[in-house]
Amino acid sequence: MSASDNGAAPRGAGEGAPRGGRDQEPDPVAGADAPGATEGSYLSHRGVLSWIFTKDHKRIGLMYLVAVLGFFFVGGVLALAVLLELLSSAGRFFSSDTYNKLFTLHGAVMIFLFIIPLVPATLGNFFLPLMIGAKDVAFPKMNLASFHIYVVGAAILLYSIIASAMDTGWTFYTPYSTQTSTAVISATFGVFILGFSSVFTGLNFIVTVHKMRAPGMTWNRMPLFVWAIYATAVIQVLATPILAITLLLLIFERLFEVGIFNPAMGGDPVLYQHFFWFYSHPAVYIMILPGFGIISELITTHSRKRIFGYGAIALSSVAIAVISFLVWGHHMFVSGQSELAAMVFSFLTFAVAVPTAIKVFSWVATLYRGSIAFTTPMLYALAFLFLFTIGGLTGLFLGTLSVDVHLTDTYFVVAHFHYVMMGGTFIAFLGGLHHWWPKMTGKSYSEKWGKIACALVFIGFNVTFFSQFLLGTHGMPRRYHHYLPRFQTLHVLSTVGSQILALGLVIILVYLLHSLFRGARAGVNPWGGKSLEWATATPPGTHNFASQPTVSAGPYEFEEIDEREGEEKDEEKDEAEKGGER
Amino acid sequence: MITQATEEHGHPAHLEHHFSTPEQQKSAAKLGMWIFLATEILFFGGLFMAYGAFRYFYPGTFVAAHAYLSIPLGGLNTMILITSSLTMALAVRAAQLGDRKLLVRLLGLTLLLASGFLVVKGFEYSHKLHEGLLPGKYFSAKGIAGLPHIFFGIYFAMTGLHGVHVVAGMIVISWVLIRARQGRYSAEYYTPVENVGLYWHLVDLIWIFLFPLLYLVK
Ligand code: HEM
Ligand SMILES: [Cu+2]
């Protein structure tokens, strides 16, 4: 079954919606090329060098995609190793040193190489210019440089951690990081370099959104994915320099033993934490905001309903971007900051939940009386709603001072951030990948396998990480591989979950690769989307649009839903394995 | 927003393919530069925070240790940089007027002043090296109250990173200078000159904060 068979076909074809339906160019777009326009597809260029030095945002996005997913594979294998080790309470496979090295490498790979560039550099790169009707990003050379710098930085970081068996954890906390004999200098230098790649991406996107929009593409007509990438870019540009200077100071400290982070020399190790989290809390929004953007697209398109609260969703991204700079102290409740500071940070942490909740409510309201199609992307969107809500709410537990004192540095924190990062960002990414896969590759994947894999991922994820919430509340500390026997059952459960999760991900890899070679040709607009990327050829031509599109309406102008249609959908629902979502 | 004539190929040579008009290209480049300057300000902002924290922890140290910095040399460097900002601004004006000769000369002058700054800085650094007024564990001077190794750590971190920015500035100024000599800029197209100018003013501006904070502590 191909994606286009299952998507929007039955709707829109109804009476009263003369121009709706799949494979049609959206009404509000004039001048966009008709399906199958003659310009060569962007994929028609051959030769390795033509890829490595391309300035085409679509091909750079694809290269990023391959690189980022490659690192995900590395980080994932490490995670499986960590969880295998936790099967027994005495630690069976690795020494403690090896275990510390494993989770350091896992964390650093997943944060710096995987989840930060995951959405902006891949789907963002590919679709942001398309969605605003531009030929490319504002600075294509800088975009390419961003990718090259990313590869170099990644190589340095990986080599340093592996070759020197670094075990500081991904946060490089002082005083340990200034005292260990491992290659902290070159590892942090690698992260420093990666920062440039992130800043280049962000800077490019901000300028692109400001300056490259097609005629008629007003701010209020921008798809919410674009808004989200924009807000992310602002954080990338404003927060990353702080990480850069933090890491330079750390390097400086190690080279000269200046003492600024060393209490014995009059310095202050907590100062390092302030510096670090001033970047790294905003950074968690670099990770999640693009995910929010994807979810907005999936939910409207696959329920064929105009988004509820467009302005609220768009502006709440910006509000989150602003508040996110003011809450870093919630990572330091037990680090010895003043009580007053702790209270203020706790309050602001609660404040950041407000714009976040506004989004969740808007999505749910969009679904209400929508014509929901349980396509694979939609299943991921629903999974996201479920998982992110748990992740976000447990964030509030941790933001509550009296509760955090007990939960900090336990598996509860581990579960929290995996629910938001993996259950949030990564699940949203998977949804987006399926949503846009036909447009990017020109091929349809198997909806049946898509749904099976989604269910496996959803179940595996919850089994893996919900058990960790329980472990945390029972007092299991993070980063230990020897533990009290009473924790073992939950650890075993968690490990089993991780195997299910891995199986689901392998299935996804297999059917997506299969679709590249054997998949049916995808239509121009398999889901009946209304934003500009669906108005160009599949896959898009080298210059995106055959002629400059002009825009005269918003991105979600779906036809009115016929009241009776809701009932007809019931059979489809059963088929869609909704069980996995509950 | 923009009216288009996409298929025409009569556009000016400096207009890149993905832009529709020179104005669009120019305003994109300038916005990009301003955002880049914002990242630089935040980058140094982190250093200023570290400075602020330690000045707050150890005010006595800062008062005692700053006396070992040379106000005349620091002041001289401040004058040099301000003058170089002036020559840079005049260079941008020359570019706007399409006066290639003047542009090249003024850029050359700016480069000269920048090297002058580095020479003076070099004298200061070698002096510090002699006296053992160095960061952290390399600090060996005697008789300064408080924790001077931290003061000099911060001093070298701030001025050192600023120095790196001066060198970067000199590299990009040389780059536009070469291209100006090749006649790449005209009254219609001089965005790179303008952007390099903006960058140079920022480098200058940062020094204008560093000088009083480090040399003129009270
Ligand atoms: C409603 C939103 C959120 C709130 C209120 C919140 C709150 C918190 C708090 C209070 C902590 C500190 C726990 C401790 O160390 O004791 C924490 C840790 C963490 N959060 Fe969140 N969070 C939220 C969303 C997110 C998101 C969206 C992400 C990433 C996508 C994220 C990633 C993390 C990470 C990585 C850590 C642990 C860092 C470490 O110590 O290694 N959080 N969160
Ligand atoms: Cu945080």
Side-chain angles (χ1 to χ4, degrees):
Chain A
M1 184 194 319
S2 82
S4 45
D5 292 339
N6 203 8
R11 284 160 307 214
E15 304 90 336
R19 296 203 36 153
R22 64 180 169 145
D23 289 14
Q24 288 223 1
E25 86 193 59
D27 300 337
V29 183
D33 35 357
T38 44
E39 191 199 24
S41 140
Y42 80 102
L43 288 170
S44 59
H45 306 264
R46 301 272 160 213
V48 178
L49 287 184
S50 96
W51 277 86
I52 295 182
F53 295 105
T54 180
K55 280 177 256 156
D56 180 346
H57 67 100
K58 300 182 286 302
R59 294 211 272 164
I60 294 172
L62 281 194
M63 288 196 293
Y64 251 124
L65 183 68
V66 172
V68 161
L69 292 181
F71 288 124
F72 177 67
F73 181 77
V74 174
V77 169
L78 291 163
L80 292 177
V82 165
L83 282 165
L84 271 184
E85 171 72 2
L86 291 171
L87 274 177
S88 105
S89 63
R92 189 177 305 159
F93 302 110
F94 307 121
S95 69
S96 300
D97 280 342
T98 314
Y99 182 77
N100 292 349
K101 185 179 162 186
L102 280 178
F103 73 67
T104 299
L105 192 55
H106 163 73
V109 167
M110 287 303 199
I111 299 272
F112 296 116
L113 302 184
F114 173 63
I115 203 154
I116 288 191
L118 175 62
V119 179
T122 62
L123 296 175
N125 233 332
F126 199 106
F127 286 104
L128 179 118
L130 284 170
M131 287 174 134
I132 60 172
K135 283 194 204 125
D136 206 319
V137 293
F139 309 117
K141 275 182 241 160
M142 185 189 274
N143 201 17
L144 178 64
S146 156
F147 177 68
H148 289 168
I149 291 172
Y150 169 78
V151 173
V152 172
I156 296 179
L157 175 65
L158 281 182
Y159 180 76
S160 330
I161 298 184
I162 295 172
S164 78
M166 206 173 93
D167 58 354
T168 61
W170 74 278
T171 52
F172 309 119
Y173 264 19
T174 55
Y176 184 58
S177 61
T178 50
Q179 288 162 3
T180 149
S181 60
T182 55
V184 173
I185 294 182
S186 60
T188 45
F189 187 65
V191 176
F192 178 80
I193 293 180
L194 287 166
F196 279 92
S197 119
S198 185
V199 167
F200 282 6
T201 304
L203 193 159
N204 222 332
F205 288 174
I206 296 179
V207 178
T208 306
V209 169
H210 274 275
K211 301 291 177 188
M212 309 294 283
R213 281 171 289 134
M217 176 58 75
T218 58
W219 285 83
N220 289 332
R221 288 183 188 150
M222 288 194 323
L224 287 166
F225 181 65
V226 175
W227 268 103
I229 293 285
Y230 179 77
T232 308
V234 171
I235 309 181
Q236 279 178 299
V237 160
L238 296 183
T240 314
I242 307 288
L243 177 70
I245 193 68
T246 308
L247 297 177
L248 280 190
L249 284 175
L250 186 60
I251 292 176
F252 199 59
E253 176 84 7
R254 273 189 74 102
L255 285 176
F256 301 106
E257 288 175 35
V258 185
I260 45 178
F261 298 137
N262 180 356
M265 295 177 78
D268 182 2
V270 178
L271 187 66
Y272 175 81
Q273 297 186 19
H274 278 292
F275 266 115
F276 185 82
W277 289 113
F278 188 82
Y279 163 77
S280 292
H281 184 81
V284 308
Y285 288 98
I286 296 178
M287 305 168 196
I288 194 70
L289 280 179
F292 290 164
I294 294 176
I295 296 303
S296 300
E297 299 297 326
L298 301 187
I299 291 214
T300 45
T301 310
H302 296 265
S303 62
R304 307 208 55 73
K305 210 172 132 225
R306 191 195 300 191
I307 193 93
F308 180 90
Y310 173 91
I313 295 185
L315 293 179
S316 60
S317 293
V318 181
I320 289 175
V322 173
I323 306 177
S324 72
F325 280 95
L326 306 173
V327 301
W328 77 91
H330 67 211
H331 295 275
M332 303 164 56
F333 285 152
V334 298
S335 302
Q337 63 186 347
S338 78
E339 238 170 75
L340 177 67
M343 271 154 65
V344 172
F345 281 126
S346 175
F347 171 76
L348 290 167
T349 301
F350 277 80
V352 87
V354 174
T356 313
I358 287 178
K359 284 179 191 291
V360 175
F361 287 127
S362 298
W363 292 323
V364 176
T366 306
L367 288 174
Y368 176 67
R369 310 202 68 169
S371 166
I372 300 174
F374 290 95
T375 55
T376 309
M378 187 55 149
L379 292 185
Y380 279 109
L382 296 176
F384 172 95
L385 283 184
F386 184 87
L387 300 176
F388 180 75
T389 304
I390 295 180
L393 286 177
T394 52
L396 291 178
F397 294 19
L398 295 171
T400 312
L401 280 173
S402 52
V403 180
D404 184 69
V405 170
H406 298 286
L407 293 179
T408 190
D409 275 331
T410 69
Y411 265 68
F412 194 90
V413 175
V414 177
H416 155 69
F417 65 70
H418 283 92
Y419 262 80
V420 278
M421 300 203 287
M422 189 158 190
T425 309
F426 183 60
I427 292 287
F429 166 80
L430 284 179
L433 188 67
H434 285 84
H435 180 68
W436 282 307
W437 183 262
K439 180 55 74 179
M440 287 165 38
T441 62
K443 296 293 167 60
S444 305
Y445 58 87
S446 152
E447 272 286 307
K448 184 176 109 211
W449 282 105
K451 289 172 186 168
I452 293 174
C454 178
L456 281 175
V457 167
F458 183 80
I459 295 166
F461 179 86
N462 279 303
V463 174
T464 310
F465 292 107
F466 205 85
S467 4
Q468 299 190 353
F469 277 130
L470 301 177
L471 279 170
T473 49
H474 294 172
M476 169 77 207
R478 69 191 279 199
R479 297 185 170 170
Y480 283 73
H481 74 138
H482 292 181
Y483 52 83
L484 297 178
R486 67 189 161 95
F487 294 130
Q488 191 174 17
T489 322
L490 285 168
H491 272 303
V492 171
L493 198 61
S494 178
T495 306
V496 171
S498 71
Q499 308 287 336
I500 303 175
L501 180 56
L503 176 67
L505 294 174
V506 169
I507 293 178
I508 297 177
L509 183 69
V510 170
Y511 71 72
L512 284 185
L513 288 180
H514 179 264
S515 81
L516 285 183
F517 302 103
R518 292 280 155 78
R521 273 190 65 117
V524 165
N525 191 358
W527 318 114
K530 295 291 179 186
S531 38
L532 273 179
E533 80 272 28
W534 302 112
T536 187
T538 287
T542 309
H543 300 301
N544 291 355
F545 300 94
S547 62
Q548 174 72 66
T550 48
V551 183
S552 59
Y556 308 117
E557 302 294 331
F558 299 103
E559 297 78 19
E560 287 287 308
I561 297 165
D562 188 336
E563 285 287 315
R564 285 161 303 149
E565 248 188 292
E567 279 122 65
E568 292 166 23
K569 287 269 116 26
D570 279 351
E571 319 141 45
E572 238 186 71
K573 272 185 202 164
D574 297 343
E575 185 202 324
E577 292 179 40
K578 211 161 116 252
E581 296 313 309
R582 281 293 152 88
Chain B
M1 195 176 78
I2 309 139
T3 35
Q4 310 262 116
T6 348
E7 298 314 300
E8 274 173 29
H9 255 83
H11 62 68
H14 58 78
L15 181 63
E16 289 183 64
H17 185 76
H18 59 293
F19 291 111
S20 6
T21 60
E23 292 75 47
Q24 187 190 24
Q25 177 171 345
K26 178 168 180 180
S27 67
K30 282 183 96 171
L31 179 62
M33 193 65 203
W34 279 107
I35 297 172
F36 175 70
L37 295 187
T39 68
E40 288 279 17
I41 289 173
L42 280 151
F43 180 77
F44 275 95
L47 272 181
F48 284 114
M49 289 306 293
Y51 172 93
F54 282 99
R55 175 123 185 226
Y56 172 75
F57 295 154
Y58 308 116
T61 298
F62 277 67
V63 172
H66 97 280
Y68 291 78
L69 302 180
S70 160
I71 297 180
L73 288 182
L76 175 63
N77 255 349
T78 311
M79 296 311 294
I80 293 181
L81 270 195
I82 291 179
T83 316
S84 77
S85 249
L86 177 69
T87 55
M88 189 72 224
L90 290 173
V92 173
R93 177 156 171 76
Q96 282 168 342
L97 297 175
D99 188 339
R100 197 209 302 184
K101 236 191 204 151
L102 188 61
L103 169 62
V104 170
R105 269 190 211 150
L106 284 165
L107 287 175
L109 199 57
T110 312
L111 264 184
L112 208 68
L113 287 164
S115 338
F117 176 89
L118 286 184
V119 170
V120 174
K121 201 80 228 155
F123 275 120
E124 282 191 79
Y125 273 9
S126 69
H127 189 66
K128 300 272 155 347
L129 197 71
H130 263 270
E131 313 263 288
L133 297 166
L134 293 172
K137 71 172 170 191
Y138 297 102
F139 184 85
S140 60
K142 298 253 149 38
I144 308 177
L147 301 155
H149 60 274
I150 288 197
F151 177 85
F152 284 98
I154 290 175
Y155 166 81
F156 275 99
M158 294 182 105
T159 55
L161 274 180
H162 177 261
V164 170
H165 281 75
V166 172
V167 173
M170 291 172 68
I171 293 173
V172 287
I173 292 174
S174 316
W175 175 70
V176 285
L177 193 144
I178 292 170
R179 290 170 60 101
R181 286 183 55 168
Q182 294 167 348
R184 301 261 195 129
Y185 306 125
S186 62
E188 285 75 49
Y189 174 67
Y190 53 86
T191 319
V193 186
E194 219 175 359
N195 275 349
V196 167
L198 283 175
Y199 177 74
W200 190 249
H201 295 319
L202 183 84
V203 172
D204 185 16
L205 191 72
I206 290 169
W207 178 259
I208 289 179
F209 279 94
L210 287 184
F211 176 60
L213 284 178
L214 291 169
Y215 291 74
L216 308 178
V217 182
K218 271 253 168 62

